[in-house]
Amino acid sequence: MSTQAEGLKRRTGPDIADFYDIRSMLSDEERQVQESVGQFVDQEVIPIIGEAFDKHVFPDQLVPELGKLGVFGCNLEGYECAGLNNVVYGLVCQELERGDSGLRSFVSVQGSLCMWPIYTYGTEEQKQRWLPGMAKGELIGCFGLTEPDGGSDPGTMRTKAVRDGDDWIINGAKMWITNGTIADVAIVWADTEEGIRGFLVEKDMPGYTTRDIPRKMSLRASWTSELFFEGVRVPDSNRLPGAKGLAGPLGCLTQARYGITWGAIGAAIACYKEALEFAGYRKLFGRTLAETQTIQLRLADMARRITTAQLLSLQLGRLKDQGTMHHSQVSLAKWNNVRAALDIARDARDLLGAGGVTTDHHAIRHMLNLESVITYEGTETIHQLVIGRELTGHAAF
Ligand code: TGC
Ligand code: FAD
């Protein structure tokens, strides 16, 4: 019988998960950070994540370790952030999501959706107060944009903030908010007389309550919550002065969507490797699955799609690092890479046969998680329409 080891010996060509030798296009620092986060995922995440998913709990014991690794806001400078480039941030997301999309979500929300707006739109006092603790994972943030009446069109939000002397009074609700119940601070987007503004709502402020959304069949190792605001009084010093209009929250989404383009590659690689290994030892009709043409076609297609996604994200990261990335380019990569990862996860699940329906294998967990990833941070359709608008000049949302 062919074994996986024999299979690996036969392959003398490209690395199966790095077909185009992307590693050779990375700097030493980029490779080192990827390796150390990858080791953390292999040793600390993979052994426990299936059970966390089954039990529908976020593995919060990992947060201090992630803080020590320096992944929170790692592409920001100062305030105890690591000051790394955007390619490193992407590689971090890729490694974390190879473990689980819920873990990468935690890091995306903390770094891109909460630390980034404080860093970019906040006052010096706000930065000093929140960023060092968030970088260490001692303080947790959440990002409240989506509302129950429809997330794709945040410009029509119903949550309102009304000026009252030196304060603002916030009324409304947010839904599907990652980390809502565990967050020390919520970045809340509300409509005001002057347009959309962002506020730092602190967990103990009277009138602010949260609850988790139960029975999710996706991102089960992550908390997703509802936020309620009933006359919450927030001082003007908790408003983000640099955020004006819908461009404020959409600017944050560009940061997080960029990380997701990389993260999806990690989930895809986990599924593809699992399918490849299984095909190497599963023997049917007198030969391994790896020796049949249609299985090879399916594995080859996974390799093609992963390679395409890797090249897209790397070039996107280089554009971001040189300051020329456009948000429609992020939309194209988010659409392509998450679609690729979801298709790969579904195909890997099928290739594993009946065993693939249990969380003893990784594929179904990734597949279910990716159903959220393709919906959040702009659905696939929204990203297609963003590119359509870019090409034609007509907004067809
Ligand atoms: P539109 O007229 O296009 O834009 C209003 C203003 O914003 C600017 N802008 C952007 N800026 C930065 N990044 C982007 N991606 C931007 N897109 C637009 C734009 O230039 C304009 O600026 P200004 O100065 O002229 O005012 O706005 P629209 O109302 O037509 O909406 C466009 C649309 C549909 C693309 C937008 O609403 C959208 O992206 N909808 C999807 C909403 C979404 O993605 N929500 C995600 C919520 S957060 C989340 O899901 C977290 S999941 C947890 C995790 O990440 O793990
Ligand atoms: P809708 O906007 O109601 O869309 C429904 C369907 O209509 C979709 O298929 C969509 O593609 C389609 N559609 C919409 N507009 C058009 C159009 N013009 N033409 C054709 N089709 C269209 N949000 C946050 O603010 N913070 C978070 O931390 C956060 N975390 C999340 C975590 C999870 C696990 C999930 C599942 C979601 C999270 N979200 C978060 C919300 C997420 O961003 C929204 O679910 C998403 O933006 C879509 O909004 P919706 O669910 O209201 O769907």
Side-chain angles (χ1 to χ4, degrees):
M1 184 176 112
S2 301
T3 63
Q4 171 63 2
E6 284 167 8
L8 286 174
K9 229 186 284 164
R10 272 199 305 278
R11 280 192 286 270
T12 52
D15 177 340
I16 54 163
D18 186 12
F19 214 72
Y20 267 32
D21 199 11
I22 303 285
R23 276 176 65 79
S24 69
M25 296 154 82
L26 303 177
S27 68
D28 288 345
E29 181 179 67
E30 288 163 353
R31 274 195 292 267
Q32 277 158 17
V33 177
Q34 180 177 15
E35 270 166 30
S36 62
V37 177
Q39 260 175 26
F40 171 80
V41 168
D42 289 334
Q43 290 165 10
E44 309 292 333
V45 179
I46 300 218
I48 58 126
I49 198 66
E51 194 182 347
F53 184 94
D54 289 344
K55 291 187 171 161
H56 207 331
V57 293
F58 173 70
D60 54 6
Q61 70 274 21
L62 299 176
V63 174
E65 296 303 313
L66 289 168
K68 279 187 208 141
L69 272 175
V71 301
F72 298 129
C74 68
N75 53 349
L76 305 179
E77 296 271 354
Y79 308 97
E80 307 204 23
C81 301
L84 298 166
N85 71 16
N86 288 292
V87 169
V88 177
Y89 173 52
L91 291 162
V92 166
C93 289
Q94 180 180 310
E95 289 307 316
L96 293 174
E97 197 150 354
R98 190 169 57 75
D100 193 81
S101 303
L103 196 61
R104 196 271 309 136
S105 259
F106 187 95
V107 172
S108 294
V109 170
Q110 181 85 346
S112 288
L113 295 184
C114 296
M115 295 173 73
W116 187 86
I118 295 171
Y119 183 86
T120 308
Y121 305 137
T123 62
E124 188 55 34
E125 194 190 339
Q126 290 166 347
K127 294 180 205 182
Q128 295 290 354
R129 172 152 182 219
W130 295 105
L131 293 180
M134 293 178 91
K136 287 184 238 157
E138 291 165 1
L139 294 171
I140 293 171
C142 72
F143 178 87
L145 179 65
T146 304
E147 301 195 347
D149 290 332
S152 297
D153 183 18
T156 55
M157 69 176 64
R158 294 189 181 182
T159 299
K160 297 262 182 280
V162 176
R163 191 83 196 225
D164 184 33
D166 286 341
D167 299 332
W168 295 82
I169 309 294
I170 303 185
N171 281 291
K174 299 286 175 181
M175 191 154 183
W176 304 110
I177 307 304
T178 303
N179 294 341
T181 49
I182 56 167
D184 299 283
V185 63
I187 312 277
V188 176
W189 300 95
D191 199 16
T192 74
E193 273 193 343
E194 299 145 31
I196 291 170
R197 295 290 183 268
F199 299 89
L200 299 166
V201 176
E202 299 176 36
K203 69 174 173 195
D204 296 328
M205 286 180 163
Y208 172 46
T209 52
T210 62
R211 71 172 176 222
D212 279 323
I213 297 173
R215 297 184 297 282
K216 274 185 305 157
M217 295 308 292
S218 174
L219 279 190
R220 286 174 63 83
S222 167
W223 304 122
T224 314
S225 323
E226 290 177 89
L227 315 181
F228 303 97
F229 309 92
E230 286 178 47
V232 182
R233 182 173 287 277
V234 178
D236 190 51
S237 56
N238 277 32
R239 183 176 53 84
L240 293 169
K244 296 204 166 76
L246 192 56
L250 293 183
C252 309
L253 297 185
T254 294
Q255 311 308 310
R257 290 167 176 175
Y258 163 77
I260 290 172
T261 74
W262 287 88
I265 299 168
I269 287 175
C271 298
Y272 155 74
K273 281 190 159 176
E274 190 169 52
L276 188 55
E277 188 179 341
F278 181 78
Y281 67 76
R282 183 67 156 186
K283 207 169 180 189
L284 296 164
F285 302 102
R287 59 184 173 172
T288 63
L289 289 178
E291 292 167 90
T292 69
Q293 285 191 353
T294 56
I295 295 287
Q296 287 194 10
L297 284 182
R298 289 162 72 180
L299 294 168
D301 195 54
M302 292 182 195
R304 172 183 66 85
R305 296 182 77 163
I306 288 169
T307 305
T308 310
Q310 287 168 326
L311 290 167
L312 276 187
S313 281
L314 182 62
Q315 172 62 2
L316 196 62
R318 297 291 181 224
L319 293 176
K320 189 164 176 10
D321 278 329
Q322 73 191 32
T324 58
M325 183 184 84
H326 189 266
H327 60 73
S328 62
Q329 294 169 322
V330 182
S331 283
L332 191 141
K334 201 257 178 186
W335 163 24
N336 182 78
N337 294 10
V338 179
R339 167 52 63 190
L342 179 55
D343 290 348
I344 288 169
R346 284 176 179 162
D347 203 29
R349 207 295 310 145
D350 175 77
L351 213 147
L352 293 165
V357 306
T358 75
T359 51
D360 293 340
H361 288 98
H362 300 302
I364 196 162
R365 178 170 49 79
H366 284 296
M367 181 190 102
L368 291 168
N369 284 341
L370 288 160
E371 293 289 349
S372 283
V373 181
I374 205 159
T375 290
Y376 68 33
E377 295 278 3
T379 66
E380 183 172 58
T381 306
I382 289 296
H383 290 293
Q384 291 165 334
L385 295 176
V386 165
I387 295 158
R389 177 177 63 178
E390 203 57 38
L391 301 180
T392 66
H394 299 292
F397 302 106

